[in-house]
Amino acid sequence: MKHKDLSITFLGVKFENPFCLSSSPVGNCYEMCAKAYDAGWGGVVFKTIGPKHFEINEVSPRFDALTKEDTPFVGFKNMEQIAEHSLEENLRDLKRLKEEYPNKVLIASIMGTNEEDWVELARLVEEAGADMIEMNLSCPQMTSHEMGSDVGTNAELCKKYCMAVKRGSKLPMMAKMTPNVTDMVPIAKACLEGGADGIAAINTIKSICNVDLDKKIGLPIVNGKSSISGYSGKAVKPVALRFIQQLRTGIKGVEISGIGGIETWEDAAEFILLGSKTLQVTTAIMQYGYRIVEDLCNGLSHYLEDQGLNSLEELVGLANDNIIPCEELDRSYIVYPKVDNEKCVGCGRCYISCFDGGHQAISWIDDKRRPEINKDKCVGCHLCATVCPVRCIKKGEIVFKKGSKTHKIDL
């Protein structure tokens, strides 16, 4: 199959494909970013560069993970701050990357402590050759309350700093949002009013992943203590998608770089369908390396072929109109589950879950080791289908509730 056109134009800059390194440990120096470009990544958001006067001093160890059964991890906790290299080193790396990879997109992530810092950093990264700026308004583990997510929850301050960046540079700029808020839209609007051209979302979620039960200390342990810090990985994808949907519906036409739990081409497609134009990845690279971009591009290309689409641009935002307020959902019918007895392995998971966590609507036939749906009790919640390990429970008969008119149902 001939590869589909995966190029995308975001904030006026054309990317050969939507996949970028996010501003994080995976894009911390020239060598790492160069390797990513060689592997086929469409862009790099270089690890956040701070002002000259702000020194980074990291803890050790600084990672933890949330696991489930035999999975390596579903969520990842990161206590690392912004780039630990000097400002001069970072600017030198940016310059070298742009000189050696002129056709690749280079995005400089910056973070200041005051307006003067933001102006100066914006000026310096433009001079170094960056194609775009990302304002990090959202890192949850900075040691200064003048930086990171403490700034990103303050709409007025975000607007002021966006204005400062625009005074320092004419480059396209996106503001990176913190998810540690109830509603991201007002803060994103303030950033756009301040001059931001687009939005990046989401940064990591404040978290405590695990607690050592013997030492009674959160993980990772740093000399007998721990702290709240950023949570990423597959587990945050639902939160990221929610915020992206709300941004797209709350701010018409806003361009978004999507971040949060992207590990597969299916994840990528979901972000694009909800309005993301570019996609940023960290945790998946930490697990599988830069070459995961080959799988991401191949899968997305095949998906476009299956959908009969010629370019990625055609896919952006196609699912947005199908997300509606919960009070507008059709509540006139019940879809009863149907068990495929040929596929059923007789494990009893559906029976236990329905009895102990549902509506006692499944009977267990002992001699056949098979479940049987009791429609008199079933409410059509489909918990049984969700827990079935072999996916043998599907959607079955549709019955309209008393007093409801029959109409076409799209499942």
Side-chain angles (χ1 to χ4, degrees):
M1 184 196 82
K2 182 181 178 182
H3 269 231
K4 291 291 183 177
D5 180 12
L6 296 185
S7 66
I8 197 92
T9 299
F10 175 62
L11 305 185
V13 177
K14 187 169 184 178
F15 293 70
E16 65 181 71
N17 66 63
F19 299 107
C20 303
L21 307 190
S22 55
S23 171
S24 67
V26 302
N28 192 27
C29 62
Y30 163 82
E31 288 77 14
M32 298 178 81
C33 297
K35 185 179 179 183
Y37 281 147
D38 290 338
W41 290 82
V44 162
V45 186
F46 196 87
K47 191 175 181 184
T48 304
I49 299 170
K52 193 169 187 177
H53 62 81
F54 190 80
E55 291 188 13
I56 297 297
N57 189 14
E58 299 285 12
V59 296
S60 176
R62 49 184 177 268
F63 299 139
D64 187 32
L66 184 70
T67 60
K68 188 179 189 305
E69 296 167 354
D70 60 347
T71 57
F73 58 75
V74 293
F76 186 76
K77 181 184 177 185
N78 170 19
M79 296 172 69
E80 193 163 306
Q81 300 180 85
I82 61 176
E84 75 274 18
H85 303 126
S86 69
L87 177 59
E88 290 77 13
E89 287 179 276
N90 289 321
L91 293 172
R92 189 163 57 246
D93 281 358
L94 288 179
K95 189 172 188 297
R96 185 179 175 190
L97 284 166
K98 198 59 198 175
E99 288 174 347
E100 296 184 13
Y101 297 89
N103 298 320
K104 294 282 190 176
V105 179
L106 178 61
I107 303 167
S109 176
I110 61 174
M111 183 191 293
T113 63
N114 53 51
E115 287 182 78
E116 291 73 23
D117 285 348
W118 287 103
V119 171
E120 180 68 0
L121 287 168
R123 181 185 68 81
L124 290 171
V125 298
E126 180 173 2
E127 289 178 356
D131 299 299
M132 188 181 296
I133 292 172
E134 180 179 89
M135 290 181 65
N136 188 337
L137 299 165
S138 45
C139 179
Q141 54 260 5
M142 297 305 297
T143 57
S144 168
H145 293 292
E146 297 174 311
M147 306 173 82
S149 60
D150 287 343
V151 174
T153 58
N154 185 322
E156 185 178 341
L157 199 53
C158 287
K159 180 178 179 179
K160 183 168 73 172
Y161 287 163
C162 286
M163 293 172 68
V165 168
K166 281 301 184 179
R167 291 199 298 273
S169 170
K170 301 300 182 186
L171 290 177
M173 180 269 284
M174 55 180 159
K176 188 174 182 178
M177 300 285 97
T178 177
N180 300 299
V181 292
T182 304
D183 188 353
M184 193 180 285
V185 171
I187 299 168
K189 283 183 175 179
C191 291
L192 296 169
E193 289 168 5
D197 302 290
I199 299 296
I202 60 174
N203 207 325
T204 53
I205 301 169
K206 289 186 176 182
S207 70
I208 298 173
C209 267
N210 301 288
V211 175
D212 186 300
L213 298 183
D214 294 321
K215 294 184 177 180
K216 302 169 185 65
I217 305 169
L219 298 176
I221 298 172
V222 181
N223 191 20
K225 303 292 181 184
S226 193
S227 69
I228 292 170
S229 59
Y231 186 59
S232 63
K234 192 78 165 184
V236 310
K237 186 186 80 168
V239 180
L241 292 177
R242 164 233 165 169
F243 276 118
I244 288 167
Q245 164 66 14
Q246 289 177 326
L247 286 169
R248 282 280 294 191
T249 54
I251 310 173
K252 296 299 181 184
V254 65
E255 293 195 41
I256 300 170
S257 184
I259 316 166
I262 299 168
E263 290 189 0
T264 66
W265 72 262
E266 291 95 336
D267 297 331
E270 290 172 5
F271 273 78
I272 295 168
L273 286 168
L274 288 174
S276 300
K277 298 195 80 175
T278 59
L279 308 164
Q280 298 186 34
V281 180
T282 285
T283 312
I285 295 172
M286 288 177 158
Q287 291 192 84
Y288 308 116
Y290 294 126
R291 287 188 63 185
I292 191 176
V293 74
E294 297 174 13
D295 293 336
L296 296 172
C297 287
N298 285 338
L300 204 52
S301 188
H302 280 284
Y303 178 63
L304 288 177
E305 176 72 18
D306 292 343
Q307 296 297 306
L309 301 175
N310 293 314
S311 71
L312 200 60
E313 295 275 3
E314 299 174 69
L315 200 63
V316 178
L318 290 184
N320 284 122
D321 290 343
N322 295 322
I323 306 292
I324 61 175
C326 61
E327 62 269 20
E328 297 179 17
L329 291 171
D330 188 347
R331 300 172 185 270
S332 66
Y333 63 91
I334 292 174
V335 182
Y336 290 108
K338 181 180 181 180
V339 180
D340 184 340
N341 286 320
E342 290 187 5
K343 292 183 179 179
C344 179
V345 295
C347 68
R349 286 283 298 275
C350 59
Y351 168 73
I352 293 169
S353 292
C354 184
F355 197 101
D356 294 0
H359 294 80
Q360 301 80 54
I362 296 180
S363 302
W364 186 249
I365 312 303
D366 282 321
D367 57 341
K368 296 181 179 179
R369 288 199 60 79
R370 290 290 182 269
E372 187 174 89
I373 308 296
N374 181 346
K375 292 183 179 178
D376 291 334
K377 290 186 175 182
C378 181
V379 298
C381 71
H382 290 255
L383 174 62
C384 54
T386 304
V387 301
C388 177
V390 294
R391 306 290 177 91
C392 75
I393 303 177
K394 306 294 183 181
K395 297 180 180 73
E397 182 186 10
I398 299 173
V399 175
F400 285 90
K401 296 176 183 177
K402 188 176 181 181
S404 297
K405 293 182 178 180
T406 59
H407 53 276
K408 184 179 180 181
I409 301 298
D410 183 4
L411 298 178

